[in-house]
Amino acid sequence: MSVTRRIKVVFAMLALATLVGTASTLSSRFREATALASHAVISNMQPEPSSLTLPLAPAGRSKILQALTKYDSAKPVRASDHFHRWCFDSLKGSYSLNSQLQRDVDQLLIQSGFRRTFPGSSPLFFRSNYGWEVRQRTVQNAREHREYEHHVDQFLATCAQIGAPLNLPIETDFGRVSIGELLEASRRSFDNSQELCWTLVAYCSYLPDEPEWENRFGERCSYESIVKEILSLPLDSGSCGGTHKQFALAYILGSPAAKQLNEDLLRQCEGYLARSSKILEGSQSPNGSWSPRWAKSVANISDTQDGLPIRGIDLVRITGHQLEWIGIAPGACRPPIACTSRAIGFLAEGLNRADVGTIQKEYCAYSHAACVLQRTMSPIQNPQMSKESAQAVDNRVQGDFSLFLTTREGSRDEAQIP
C-alpha cells in the first residue's frame, strides 16, 4: 500500500472514531436532557407523602392476595360501583397507560356500552339549563332504577384520580362532549353549601392554577373557601364517618394546588388530620377496625347515632376509608404504624370472609378495602402524584381549559329531565 493510501486510511479511521465518539456523546447528552426534562415535570409538583407501607409476613401477604383475588372476581353492578372499580384498577397504571382501565371507562362513556351495561336506564350524562351534568342520586332516580353518581362531582373526582384527561370524549344523545365541559358546568353551578369533598379533589387536580372563579350566581368561589368550610365541620360529620373530608384535605396537601393556600391554612389542614389520627389511636377496636362513631374516642361503642347496632360492613367501610386518607397524608399527620397494621389485618380478614354476592351488594365498602390492600402489596405514592397527572396529558395535546367551554348550552326547550 502506498504512503498516500495509508495516510488516507488513517485519516478515515480517525474521522470515523470522531463521529462515533460524537454520536455517543450526543446520545448521552440526549438521554441526560430527556431525564432532566422528565424530572422538571415531576419537580413542579409538591413533595409526595410516602405511601402506606408495612413489613408483611408471608402469611400476611398470602391472606391479602386471597382477599384481592376475591374482590377482583366480584363485578361492579351500579354506575357508582364502576367508579370505585376504576380507582382500584388505576393502581396498576394510570389511564393513559392502562388499556384495561380505558376499556372499563368506555363501558360507561360510550352510549352502546352504557346501554348494554344498564338496559332501560336514562343516560348518565344529560343537558340541563346550565350545561352538561352528571345524573345524581335522588329518590326518583333510585325508585326508577336510573344510574347516577352518589355524591356531587363523584364522577369528576374519580376521573381526576385515575388520570383521565379533560378532553376525553363522552357520547350523548346530543353528540360528543368532554370531561372538560362537565367540569366547566360544575364550576358554574358550584354552591358552597353542596357536598365539597369530591368537588375539591376534582378541581384541584384538573385546575391547580385556577383557584378562584365566579359561579352562575355571581359569587366569587375559591379553593380557600372550600377548605375553610371543610375545616369548620366536625371530624366525623358527613357520609362514611366523615372520612371524605380528611381524604380531600390530605389530597390537596399533596397536590400542586397546595401552593394556592396560605401557610396558616396549610397548617390548619395538617392540624385537622393530626387531630383525627390522635383520636383514631384511642377509638380503634381490638380487632383493628373503626366504627362510624370513631371520633367519640371510645373503642367499644356498639351503636350508631340512631341507636341501631353497628354492622360488620360498617366497620369495613369506615376502616377502609380511614386508611385511604392516612395513606396519602403527610407522615406527621398519621397514627402509629402499629395502629394501621392492625387495621389492614382487619380489612384482609373481612374481605376474605365475604362471598362474591356480599361484595357486590356492598361494593363501595369492599372497594375501599381492596384499594388499601393493593397499595399495601404494591406501595405507590400519593395517587394524584404517582402517575402522570390529567393536566399533563392535556398539556401534551396543547389543551387549554377555554377549549372545553361548552358551545352546546342546554336551552329550556332542549334541557333534559334530570
Side-chain angles (χ1 to χ4, degrees):
M1 183 182 294
S2 66
V3 174
T4 303
R5 287 192 63 188
R6 287 178 181 174
I7 292 174
K8 288 181 179 180
V9 169
V10 169
F11 273 107
M13 292 177 67
L14 288 173
L16 179 61
T18 301
L19 286 172
V20 171
T22 302
S24 176
T25 302
L26 289 174
S27 176
S28 176
R29 289 178 179 175
F30 176 78
R31 287 195 298 270
E32 291 175 4
T34 302
L36 287 172
S38 178
H39 176 71
V41 174
I42 297 173
S43 64
N44 287 332
M45 302 178 179
Q46 294 291 319
E48 303 174 12
S50 59
S51 62
L52 186 64
T53 58
L54 289 173
L56 294 171
R61 293 181 61 87
S62 176
K63 181 175 290 188
I64 289 177
L65 283 173
Q66 291 173 13
L68 291 173
T69 299
K70 181 171 288 187
Y71 171 79
D72 203 36
S73 65
K75 303 306 179 186
V77 176
R78 297 161 288 271
S80 61
D81 295 344
H82 284 265
F83 301 160
H84 284 97
R85 185 55 177 253
W86 297 351
C87 288
F88 175 79
D89 288 342
S90 71
L91 298 178
K92 303 171 186 177
S94 63
Y95 182 85
S96 62
L97 306 173
N98 191 329
S99 58
Q100 179 59 52
L101 178 59
Q102 292 172 18
R103 287 192 294 271
D104 291 345
V105 172
D106 284 347
Q107 194 172 348
L108 266 63
L109 303 195
I110 294 178
Q111 285 280 59
S112 59
F114 181 84
R115 287 170 177 156
R116 185 169 56 253
T117 305
F118 304 110
S121 173
S122 302
L124 184 60
F125 309 97
F126 68 97
R127 179 162 37 182
S128 74
N129 292 330
Y130 311 109
W132 290 95
E133 299 184 36
V134 185
R135 197 175 307 282
Q136 295 176 8
R137 175 168 54 184
T138 65
V139 174
Q140 180 180 356
N141 286 338
R143 185 173 60 246
E144 297 181 359
H145 305 290
R146 296 180 180 179
E147 292 306 314
Y148 48 81
E149 61 179 7
H150 280 214
H151 305 280
V152 177
D153 291 328
Q154 181 187 20
F155 171 77
L156 287 174
T158 302
C159 289
Q161 287 177 262
I162 67 174
L166 281 175
N167 61 356
L168 185 67
I170 300 169
E171 288 185 358
T172 75
D173 292 334
F174 291 84
R176 289 192 171 193
V177 295
S178 66
I179 290 177
E181 289 176 275
L182 293 174
L183 182 65
E184 193 275 334
S186 172
R187 297 252 286 191
R188 188 165 52 247
S189 298
F190 174 80
D191 184 329
N192 218 50
S193 65
Q194 71 184 46
E195 285 185 294
L196 299 171
C197 302
W198 294 266
T199 299
L200 183 61
V201 169
Y203 291 6
C204 76
S205 295
Y206 281 122
L207 301 172
D209 299 321
E210 297 185 32
E212 297 184 356
W213 70 98
E214 183 175 298
N215 64 14
R216 60 186 172 88
F217 311 110
E219 300 168 334
R220 294 301 300 171
C221 311
S222 67
Y223 298 165
E224 181 177 300
S225 66
I226 295 178
V227 169
K228 286 181 177 179
E229 180 62 27
I230 291 175
L231 290 171
S232 72
L233 300 172
L235 298 177
D236 59 346
S237 68
S239 61
C240 300
T243 53
H244 291 288
K245 300 190 307 302
Q246 283 83 356
F247 184 88
L249 294 178
Y251 196 96
I252 194 171
L253 284 177
S255 79
K259 65 179 180 291
Q260 307 294 348
L261 306 180
N262 61 54
E263 288 297 322
D264 180 61
L265 200 54
L266 291 173
R267 284 195 296 271
Q268 290 183 50
C269 291
E270 292 173 351
Y272 195 93
L273 298 179
R275 288 197 306 276
S276 299
S277 289
K278 188 65 177 177
I279 291 175
L280 287 173
E281 288 184 59
S283 64
Q284 188 175 32
S285 299
N287 66 3
S289 68
W290 286 289
S291 81
R293 301 185 68 186
W294 62 273
K296 307 310 176 191
S297 300
V298 179
N300 60 357
I301 291 177
S302 59
D303 295 332
T304 64
Q305 291 179 327
D306 298 328
L308 300 174
I310 294 176
R311 303 174 303 159
I313 191 60
D314 295 327
L315 302 180
V316 173
R317 177 181 293 103
I318 301 304
T319 304
H321 277 78
Q322 297 285 14
L323 287 176
E324 282 211 295
W325 75 258
I326 290 170
I328 64 171
C333 302
R334 300 177 182 179
I337 194 70
C339 190
T340 57
S341 178
R342 289 192 297 271
I344 287 176
F346 169 79
L347 291 182
E349 186 70 28
L351 192 47
N352 264 313
R353 288 184 177 182
D355 57 43
V356 172
T358 301
I359 295 173
Q360 288 180 317
K361 181 180 179 182
E362 301 289 350
Y363 206 81
C364 168
Y366 288 112
S367 291
H368 287 280
C371 284
V372 169
L373 297 178
Q374 181 64 47
R375 291 194 185 102
T376 303
M377 292 296 294
S378 305
I380 63 169
Q381 301 296 328
N382 191 341
Q384 78 272 29
M385 311 307 297
S386 63
K387 52 203 174 201
E388 184 179 30
S389 69
Q391 186 185 38
V393 174
D394 283 327
N395 287 343
R396 281 212 309 272
V397 293
Q398 303 299 312
D400 181 84
F401 187 60
S402 61
L403 297 177
F404 301 109
L405 300 183
T406 177
T407 57
R408 294 182 289 280
E409 284 283 278
S411 66
R412 291 189 180 278
D413 295 331
E414 293 179 318
Q416 298 170 265
I417 300 174

